[in-house]
Amino acid sequence: MSVLPDPGASRAVLVGTGRYEHLEQLPAVSNNVRALSGLLRGPLSLRLPEGHVTVVEDPAEARTVVRAVRQAAAEATDTLIVYFAGHGLVDGQDQLCLALPHTEFGRVETALPYDWVREVLLLDSRAERHVVILDCCYSGLALGRMGAGTGLADQAAVEGSFLLAAAAETRTARAPVGDTYTAFTGALLEALRQGIPGGPALLDLGFLYQHLRRTMKARGHPEPQARDRNSGAQLALARNHADLPAVPVTAVAGASVGERPWPDPATIRTVMGFFTALGQVRVVSGLTQQAVSERSGGGISAGSVRRLLNRPDLPATWKTTALYLSACGVPEEQIELWRHVWQQLGTEEASADTGTPAPAGTVSEGSRRPRLFSVLRRRQDQ
């Protein structure tokens, strides 16, 4: 089952090197990282808070990149995305190196070994899922490292990992002169922004990879490569905007609202994620705020809907949220799962405010969310 990450518990580090002292210039790379940063923070994708997306452009030193990845790895508990665009080189041991502004051919000490990034994710990350996207020449070399016995994708403690590489280990990636973006990132941005007609409701990494392979091949560009471990391919980077309903649920003939791709409450880990998912419920329903009010039979006004979706903290009572979910068409059994998440988040919020231990029967910060995730999964499967 495809899932969107909780934006409050996720981080992204976007690294781009387009200006070089000794290598060919790649002016499109700056556009890559800025466009991807805006997309990940916007409504078309993950809605990550601004402070949760770190952009590192033309880093002077390898440690600048490693430091940014290490900080994000320490902060993310849901999903960590690491993206690099620039030149990729191969060292004497046939390992991938990421070129920095001062990198020179034949001088490995001037580049960033990909293994350094992999090691940070392996040793320092708290995230359940890792996504690595490499838009550079020879990026497929990273797949071999990922598949090693101690590689990133083999971490037993994470739910899933996915590596998406722009080119095979023996191929160069494309950055057409005059184009706004590099070929691979341009195709990725296009899919996330416009959606994919006939595709699934959530654009997960597995489907995106297959779509990008077909798209790049049709355009005469190198075909991307991928490696998936432990359901990493099920992580979605956006809703499929070509698949969203154009009319309210009441006008969809023969369609069951229970079959709609509602946000999964089992993926919610933070208050921010709770409200982001609530907003997605209305998008999936195809209803305006006024229509939600009308479908509630006067139980909740359009103004109350607006205030609910823009709250900075959890509602003290459950009634308004329950009315909103029901009016949007969410099935009763899913509304009950939402209520459990609301209760759990409220307990955590109260414990954090008072500095007191969680009530008996709850679990520690490190294990609380995985247990909730498992409970909700069991309830959905029943």
Side-chain angles (χ1 to χ4, degrees):
M1 179 179 177
S2 299
V3 296
L4 284 164
D6 184 322
S10 300
R11 301 292 189 277
V13 179
L14 312 180
V15 183
T17 303
R19 294 184 293 180
Y20 290 93
E21 298 173 13
H22 309 285
L23 306 176
E24 181 182 355
Q25 305 303 303
L26 297 174
V29 165
S30 179
N31 296 329
N32 281 6
V33 293
R34 294 178 185 181
L36 188 57
S37 172
L39 184 69
L40 292 176
R41 290 184 285 110
L44 296 183
S45 183
L46 303 184
R47 297 178 182 266
L48 295 180
E50 185 171 354
H52 290 197
V53 180
T54 300
V55 174
V56 182
E57 278 199 76
D58 300 314
E61 299 179 308
R63 65 180 178 180
T64 301
V65 178
V66 174
R67 185 185 302 120
V69 175
R70 178 172 286 120
Q71 179 176 342
E75 295 173 350
T77 55
D78 187 312
T79 298
L80 173 59
I81 300 171
V82 178
Y83 167 91
F84 173 82
H87 284 300
L89 305 173
V90 182
D91 67 13
Q93 285 71 50
D94 291 329
Q95 302 303 318
L96 175 66
C97 292
L98 310 179
L100 305 178
H102 59 277
T103 296
E104 300 180 53
F105 279 116
R107 297 186 179 275
V108 295
E109 71 276 9
T110 63
L112 168 62
Y114 169 75
D115 268 5
W116 288 13
V117 175
R118 180 191 64 83
E119 193 166 311
V120 169
L121 298 181
L122 175 65
L123 299 178
D124 299 330
S125 180
R126 301 169 57 219
E128 292 183 5
R129 294 175 283 257
H130 302 90
V131 179
V132 178
I133 303 174
L134 300 175
D135 188 355
C136 60
C137 299
Y138 312 112
S139 51
L141 285 170
L143 300 177
R145 300 303 304 159
M146 199 172 174
T150 58
L152 165 64
D154 294 303
Q155 294 181 77
V158 299
E159 180 182 287
S161 304
F162 197 90
L163 190 149
L164 184 58
E169 65 273 15
T170 59
R171 297 292 303 277
T172 57
R174 295 285 181 85
V177 177
D179 283 9
T180 303
Y181 309 113
T182 60
F184 172 78
T185 297
L188 175 62
L189 290 168
E190 180 183 296
L192 296 178
R193 285 170 172 166
Q194 301 177 12
I196 303 172
L202 295 179
L203 296 180
D204 61 52
L205 287 162
F207 184 83
L208 276 172
Y209 164 59
Q210 295 298 332
H211 171 77
L212 290 171
R213 279 182 64 88
R214 293 190 297 269
T215 299
M216 298 295 280
K217 182 177 181 179
R219 295 176 180 177
H221 296 315
E223 296 179 34
Q225 307 292 309
R227 177 65 58 81
D228 170 37
R229 285 293 183 270
N230 301 328
S231 74
Q234 296 176 4
L235 181 71
L237 294 185
R239 289 195 172 275
N240 186 358
H241 301 284
D243 184 70
L244 289 175
V247 293
V249 292
T250 52
V252 180
S256 168
V257 295
E259 296 173 356
R260 285 177 172 264
W262 303 111
D264 184 358
T267 65
I268 298 172
R269 291 157 170 74
T270 65
V271 173
M272 179 181 297
F274 183 84
F275 287 112
T276 298
L278 273 185
Q280 291 170 351
V281 165
R282 189 186 64 78
V283 172
V284 172
S285 75
L287 297 169
T288 64
Q289 294 179 357
Q290 182 61 42
V292 172
S293 173
E294 292 171 359
R295 283 173 57 87
S296 74
I300 178 173
S301 68
S304 295
V305 172
R306 182 172 58 256
R307 288 190 293 272
L308 173 65
L309 299 181
N310 289 280
R311 289 178 61 98
D313 53 5
L314 288 174
T317 61
W318 173 243
K319 180 180 178 180
T320 298
T321 306
L323 286 170
Y324 166 80
L325 292 170
S326 179
C328 285
V330 177
E332 287 298 323
E333 60 271 19
Q334 288 191 29
I335 294 177
E336 180 65 14
L337 298 180
W338 277 90
R339 186 178 68 83
H340 279 280
V341 173
W342 169 76
Q343 289 178 325
Q344 182 69 31
L345 290 173
T347 300
E348 294 174 6
E349 201 173 53
S351 297
D353 289 342
T354 61
T356 58
T362 61
V363 291
S364 66
E365 179 66 28
S367 60
R368 179 185 297 125
R369 188 56 56 204
R371 177 177 294 182
L372 175 61
F373 184 91
S374 299
V375 169
L376 294 177
R377 279 292 182 211
R378 287 198 300 271
R379 287 179 176 272
Q380 286 180 314
D381 292 339
Q382 291 175 349

CSV table of all heavy atoms in Angstrom, one decimal, residues 77 126 128 157 266 268-269 344 348 358-359 361-376 378:
chain,number,residue,atom,x,y,z
A,77,THR,N,12.3,11.4,11.5
A,77,THR,CA,11.9,10.1,12.1
A,77,THR,C,11.0,9.3,11.2
A,77,THR,O,10.8,8.1,11.3
A,77,THR,CB,11.2,10.3,13.5
A,77,THR,OG1,10.1,11.2,13.3
A,77,THR,CG2,12.2,10.8,14.5
A,126,ARG,N,17.7,8.4,12.0
A,126,ARG,CA,16.6,7.9,12.8
A,126,ARG,C,15.4,7.6,12.0
A,126,ARG,O,14.4,7.2,12.5
A,126,ARG,CB,16.3,8.9,13.9
A,126,ARG,CG,17.4,9.2,14.9
A,126,ARG,CD,17.1,10.4,15.8
A,126,ARG,NE,15.8,10.1,16.5
A,126,ARG,CZ,14.9,11.1,16.7
A,126,ARG,NH1,15.0,12.3,16.2
A,126,ARG,NH2,13.8,10.8,17.4
A,128,GLU,N,12.6,6.2,9.4
A,128,GLU,CA,12.1,4.9,9.0
A,128,GLU,C,12.4,4.5,7.6
A,128,GLU,O,12.6,3.4,7.2
A,128,GLU,CB,10.6,4.7,9.3
A,128,GLU,CG,10.3,4.8,10.8
A,128,GLU,CD,8.8,4.6,11.0
A,128,GLU,OE1,8.1,4.3,10.0
A,128,GLU,OE2,8.4,4.7,12.2
A,157,ALA,N,16.6,-1.9,10.6
A,157,ALA,CA,15.8,-1.0,11.5
A,157,ALA,C,14.9,-0.1,10.7
A,157,ALA,O,14.1,0.6,11.3
A,157,ALA,CB,16.7,-0.2,12.4
A,266,ALA,N,-2.6,5.9,9.6
A,266,ALA,CA,-1.5,5.1,10.2
A,266,ALA,C,-0.1,5.7,9.9
A,266,ALA,O,0.9,5.4,10.6
A,266,ALA,CB,-1.5,3.7,9.7
A,268,ILE,N,0.5,9.0,10.1
A,268,ILE,CA,0.6,10.3,10.8
A,268,ILE,C,1.4,10.1,12.1
A,268,ILE,O,1.1,9.3,12.9
A,268,ILE,CB,-0.8,10.8,11.1
A,268,ILE,CG1,-1.6,11.1,9.8
A,268,ILE,CG2,-0.8,12.1,12.0
A,268,ILE,CD1,-3.1,11.4,10.1
A,269,ARG,N,2.4,11.0,12.2
A,269,ARG,CA,3.3,10.9,13.4
A,269,ARG,C,3.3,12.2,14.2
A,269,ARG,O,3.8,12.3,15.3
A,269,ARG,CB,4.7,10.5,12.9
A,269,ARG,CG,4.8,9.1,12.5
A,269,ARG,CD,6.0,8.9,11.5
A,269,ARG,NE,6.2,7.5,11.3
A,269,ARG,CZ,5.5,6.8,10.5
A,269,ARG,NH1,4.4,7.3,9.8
A,269,ARG,NH2,5.8,5.5,10.3
A,344,GLN,N,-3.8,9.8,20.5
A,344,GLN,CA,-2.4,9.5,20.8
A,344,GLN,C,-1.5,10.8,20.7
A,344,GLN,O,-0.7,11.0,21.6
A,344,GLN,CB,-1.8,8.5,19.8
A,344,GLN,CG,-0.4,8.1,19.9
A,344,GLN,CD,-0.2,7.3,21.2
A,344,GLN,OE1,-1.1,6.5,21.6
A,344,GLN,NE2,1.0,7.4,21.8
A,348,GLU,N,0.7,12.7,23.7
A,348,GLU,CA,2.1,13.0,23.5
A,348,GLU,C,2.3,14.5,23.7
A,348,GLU,O,3.3,15.0,24.3
A,348,GLU,CB,2.6,12.6,22.1
A,348,GLU,CG,2.6,11.1,21.9
A,348,GLU,CD,3.0,10.8,20.4
A,348,GLU,OE1,3.3,11.7,19.7
A,348,GLU,OE2,2.9,9.6,20.1
A,358,ALA,N,4.8,9.8,30.1
A,358,ALA,CA,3.5,9.4,29.5
A,358,ALA,C,2.7,8.5,30.5
A,358,ALA,O,3.3,7.8,31.3
A,358,ALA,CB,3.7,8.7,28.2
A,359,PRO,N,1.4,8.6,30.5
A,359,PRO,CA,0.6,7.7,31.3
A,359,PRO,C,0.9,6.2,31.1
A,359,PRO,O,1.5,5.8,30.1
A,359,PRO,CB,-0.8,8.0,30.9
A,359,PRO,CG,-0.8,9.3,30.3
A,359,PRO,CD,0.6,9.4,29.6
A,361,GLY,N,0.9,2.5,30.2
A,361,GLY,CA,0.3,1.9,29.0
A,361,GLY,C,0.8,2.5,27.7
A,361,GLY,O,0.6,2.0,26.6
A,362,THR,N,1.5,3.7,27.8
A,362,THR,CA,2.1,4.3,26.6
A,362,THR,C,3.5,3.8,26.5
A,362,THR,O,4.0,3.1,27.4
A,362,THR,CB,2.0,5.8,26.7
A,362,THR,OG1,2.8,6.3,27.8
A,362,THR,CG2,0.6,6.3,26.8
A,363,VAL,N,4.2,4.2,25.5
A,363,VAL,CA,5.6,3.8,25.2
A,363,VAL,C,6.5,4.9,25.1
A,363,VAL,O,6.1,6.1,25.0
A,363,VAL,CB,5.6,2.9,24.0
A,363,VAL,CG1,4.9,1.6,24.2
A,363,VAL,CG2,5.1,3.6,22.8
A,364,SER,N,7.8,4.7,25.1
A,364,SER,CA,8.8,5.7,25.0
A,364,SER,C,8.8,6.4,23.7
A,364,SER,O,8.2,5.9,22.7
A,364,SER,CB,10.2,5.1,25.3
A,364,SER,OG,10.5,4.2,24.2
A,365,GLU,N,9.4,7.6,23.6
A,365,GLU,CA,9.4,8.4,22.4
A,365,GLU,C,10.0,7.6,21.2
A,365,GLU,O,9.6,7.7,20.1
A,365,GLU,CB,10.3,9.7,22.6
A,365,GLU,CG,10.4,10.6,21.4
A,365,GLU,CD,9.0,11.1,21.0
A,365,GLU,OE1,8.2,11.3,21.9
A,365,GLU,OE2,8.8,11.4,19.8
A,366,GLY,N,11.0,6.8,21.5
A,366,GLY,CA,11.7,6.1,20.4
A,366,GLY,C,10.8,5.0,19.8
A,366,GLY,O,11.0,4.6,18.7
A,367,SER,N,9.9,4.4,20.6
A,367,SER,CA,9.1,3.3,20.1
A,367,SER,C,7.6,3.6,20.0
A,367,SER,O,6.9,2.7,19.5
A,367,SER,CB,9.3,2.0,21.0
A,367,SER,OG,8.9,2.3,22.3
A,368,ARG,N,7.2,4.7,20.5
A,368,ARG,CA,5.8,5.0,20.5
A,368,ARG,C,5.1,5.0,19.2
A,368,ARG,O,4.1,4.3,19.0
A,368,ARG,CB,5.6,6.4,21.1
A,368,ARG,CG,4.1,6.9,21.2
A,368,ARG,CD,4.0,8.3,21.7
A,368,ARG,NE,4.5,8.4,23.0
A,368,ARG,CZ,5.5,9.3,23.4
A,368,ARG,NH1,6.0,10.0,22.5
A,368,ARG,NH2,5.9,9.3,24.7
A,369,ARG,N,5.7,5.6,18.2
A,369,ARG,CA,5.0,5.7,16.9
A,369,ARG,C,5.0,4.4,16.1
A,369,ARG,O,4.0,4.0,15.6
A,369,ARG,CB,5.7,6.8,16.0
A,369,ARG,CG,5.0,7.0,14.7
A,369,ARG,CD,3.5,7.4,15.0
A,369,ARG,NE,3.5,8.6,15.9
A,369,ARG,CZ,2.4,8.9,16.6
A,369,ARG,NH1,1.3,8.1,16.5
A,369,ARG,NH2,2.4,9.9,17.4
A,370,PRO,N,6.1,3.6,16.1
A,370,PRO,CA,6.0,2.3,15.5
A,370,PRO,C,4.9,1.4,16.0
A,370,PRO,O,4.2,0.7,15.3
A,370,PRO,CB,7.4,1.7,15.7
A,370,PRO,CG,8.3,2.8,15.8
A,370,PRO,CD,7.5,3.9,16.5
A,371,ARG,N,4.7,1.5,17.4
A,371,ARG,CA,3.6,0.6,17.9
A,371,ARG,C,2.2,1.1,17.5
A,371,ARG,O,1.4,0.4,17.1
A,371,ARG,CB,3.7,0.7,19.5
A,371,ARG,CG,2.5,-0.1,20.1
A,371,ARG,CD,2.6,-0.2,21.6
A,371,ARG,NE,3.7,-0.9,22.0
A,371,ARG,CZ,4.0,-1.2,23.3
A,371,ARG,NH1,3.2,-0.7,24.3
A,371,ARG,NH2,5.1,-1.9,23.7
A,372,LEU,N,2.0,2.5,17.5
A,372,LEU,CA,0.8,3.0,17.0
A,372,LEU,C,0.6,2.6,15.5
A,372,LEU,O,-0.5,2.3,15.1
A,372,LEU,CB,0.8,4.6,17.1
A,372,LEU,CG,-0.4,5.3,16.5
A,372,LEU,CD1,-1.7,4.9,17.2
A,372,LEU,CD2,-0.2,6.8,16.6
A,373,PHE,N,1.6,2.7,14.7
A,373,PHE,CA,1.5,2.3,13.3
A,373,PHE,C,1.0,0.9,13.2
A,373,PHE,O,0.2,0.6,12.4
A,373,PHE,CB,2.9,2.5,12.7
A,373,PHE,CG,2.9,2.2,11.2
A,373,PHE,CD1,2.7,3.2,10.3
A,373,PHE,CD2,3.1,0.9,10.7
A,373,PHE,CE1,2.7,3.0,8.9
A,373,PHE,CE2,3.2,0.7,9.4
A,373,PHE,CZ,3.0,1.7,8.5
A,374,SER,N,1.6,0.0,14.0
A,374,SER,CA,1.2,-1.4,14.0
A,374,SER,C,-0.2,-1.6,14.4
A,374,SER,O,-1.0,-2.4,13.8
A,374,SER,CB,2.2,-2.3,14.9
A,374,SER,OG,3.5,-2.1,14.4
A,375,VAL,N,-0.7,-0.9,15.4
A,375,VAL,CA,-2.0,-1.0,15.9
A,375,VAL,C,-3.0,-0.6,14.8
A,375,VAL,O,-4.0,-1.3,14.6
A,375,VAL,CB,-2.2,-0.2,17.2
A,375,VAL,CG1,-3.7,-0.1,17.5
A,375,VAL,CG2,-1.5,-0.8,18.4
A,376,LEU,N,-2.7,0.5,14.2
A,376,LEU,CA,-3.6,1.0,13.2
A,376,LEU,C,-3.7,0.1,12.0
A,376,LEU,O,-4.7,-0.2,11.4
A,376,LEU,CB,-3.2,2.4,12.7
A,376,LEU,CG,-3.4,3.5,13.8
A,376,LEU,CD1,-2.9,4.8,13.3
A,376,LEU,CD2,-4.8,3.6,14.3
A,378,ARG,N,-3.2,-3.2,12.0
A,378,ARG,CA,-4.0,-4.3,12.4
A,378,ARG,C,-5.5,-4.0,12.3
A,378,ARG,O,-6.3,-4.8,11.9
A,378,ARG,CB,-3.7,-4.8,13.8
A,378,ARG,CG,-2.3,-5.5,13.9
A,378,ARG,CD,-2.3,-6.3,15.2
A,378,ARG,NE,-2.4,-5.5,16.4
A,378,ARG,CZ,-1.4,-4.9,17.0
A,378,ARG,NH1,-0.2,-5.0,16.5
A,378,ARG,NH2,-1.6,-4.2,18.1
